[in-house]
Amino acid sequence: MINMILVIGAFGQLGTVLTEKLQVKWGLNRVIASDLVSKADFNGHFETLDATDFKALEQIVTKYKITEIYHLAAILSANGEKFPLHTWDVNMTSLFNVLEVARIHKVNKVFYPSSIAVFGDKIERVNTPQSPNLTPATVYGISKVSGEIWNNYYYNKYGLDVRSLRYPGVIGYQSLPGGGTTDYAVDIYHKAVKNESFECFLEATTKLPMIFMDDAIRATIELMDAPIEDINVRTSYNLSGMSFTPKELYHSIKKIYPDFKISYKPDFRQNIANSWPKSIDDSSARNDWEWKPAFDLDMMTELMIQKLKEYYNSITV
Ligand code: NAD
Ligand code: SER
């Protein structure tokens, strides 16, 4: 059977990179990118889609005979706290639409990104295990836990092959993040490369789990490629890349920009970060489908700075 892929939320931080990787893997004609608005410089097939509109989603799935859906659209942790009920509505309605369209039209596989935001204050914050008590502190986290449980339900009740990862904060040079609590760890590199100082919205010592974009995308593709009998977690797999504090990240950047300056002005996102793990035990992912991250903090810093320098040079020439 020919694989036809639909990416929902294709122009976000993760979608931009994942869509391109899937185009390389499957071919330009096998990947349909979708998002709320189109992008002039996008190369490939695109459909405008609000994923909360079931009929519009169903039309695309039937038009292209979609066999695999990557459902990336969501409102993230920090933006979510500004409009809690709207966030719940968008995150859950879009997921139900994806699950239902997949069930009705016999889509083979669905990918659903969950998050370190699912954990709350009832957990061991160091090396947080796969399935502790989940009592998230944000509406975003509540929507992700609920999403995980619904995925598990659709797998058990209908046999729908939904696979999921709890991404740590994702750091990449390809696009800017979309309103999360870990955004500082992307913004800081842009400031360093532009020779500007950086004001951090988290305290210097706030350790959080993070992952370099290349690792996050590779994990997604490896999970989706794994044989079905190897997938033992049907809620969402813990996934680990690295863990660091703003101060450690600052010192990593200072190895390349010795004059770089940082100041700290924690805001409402500090409380969100305080409710999240410091590090993650991802042994289920390692055991089930041989997950292993490749990037540590200094490797990531080197590549982030190299790529952002290339980018800023290209737009100022
Ligand atoms: P993002 O905010 O950068 O991108 C989300 C995209 O979804 C945007 O392009 C937006 O236009 C689109 N979108 C929003 N509402 C939509 C709707 N109703 N219909 C269709 N499209 C819609 O987010 P991201 O960082 O790329 O994250 C992608 C997914 O991964 C999200 O589900 C997020 O919760 C999850 N995740 C991200 C991170 C991270 O650090 N970036 C960490 C953990 C989990
Ligand atoms: N990076 C995401 C956020 O901060 C975690 O899901 O919201």
Side-chain angles (χ1 to χ4, degrees), residues 93-114:
T93 304
S94 62
L95 174 63
F96 283 129
N97 286 348
V98 168
L99 292 174
E100 272 298 280
V101 89
R103 178 184 71 79
I104 294 165
H105 295 283
K106 303 199 179 342
V107 169
N108 292 339
K109 276 188 215 172
V110 173
F111 176 74
Y112 175 75
S114 187

Side-chain angles (χ1 to χ4, degrees), residues 9 12-14 35 49-51 72-74 76 113-114 140 144 167-168 170:
Q13 192 198 359
L14 276 145
D35 208 306
L49 172 67
D50 178 344
L72 304 180
L76 274 71
S114 187
Y140 170 71
K144 289 296 183 185
Y167 290 127
V170 181

Side-chain angles (χ1 to χ4, degrees), residues 1-13:
M1 184 198 254
I2 292 170
N3 221 12
M4 284 298 294
I5 316 264
L6 173 64
V7 184
I8 302 173
F11 295 157
Q13 192 198 359

Side-chain angles (χ1 to χ4, degrees), residues 76-78 115-117 140 167-170 180-183 276:
L76 274 71
S77 62
S115 162
I116 50 169
Y140 170 71
Y167 290 127
V170 181
T181 303
T182 56
D183 293 9
W276 289 1

Side-chain angles (χ1 to χ4, degrees), residues 8 47 80 83 110 156 165 177-178 198 213 220-221 237 259 289:
I8 302 173
E47 293 277 348
F83 311 102
V110 173
N156 286 318
L165 296 172
F198 180 65
M213 181 67 81
T220 309
I221 288 176
Y237 278 98
D259 296 332
W289 42 278

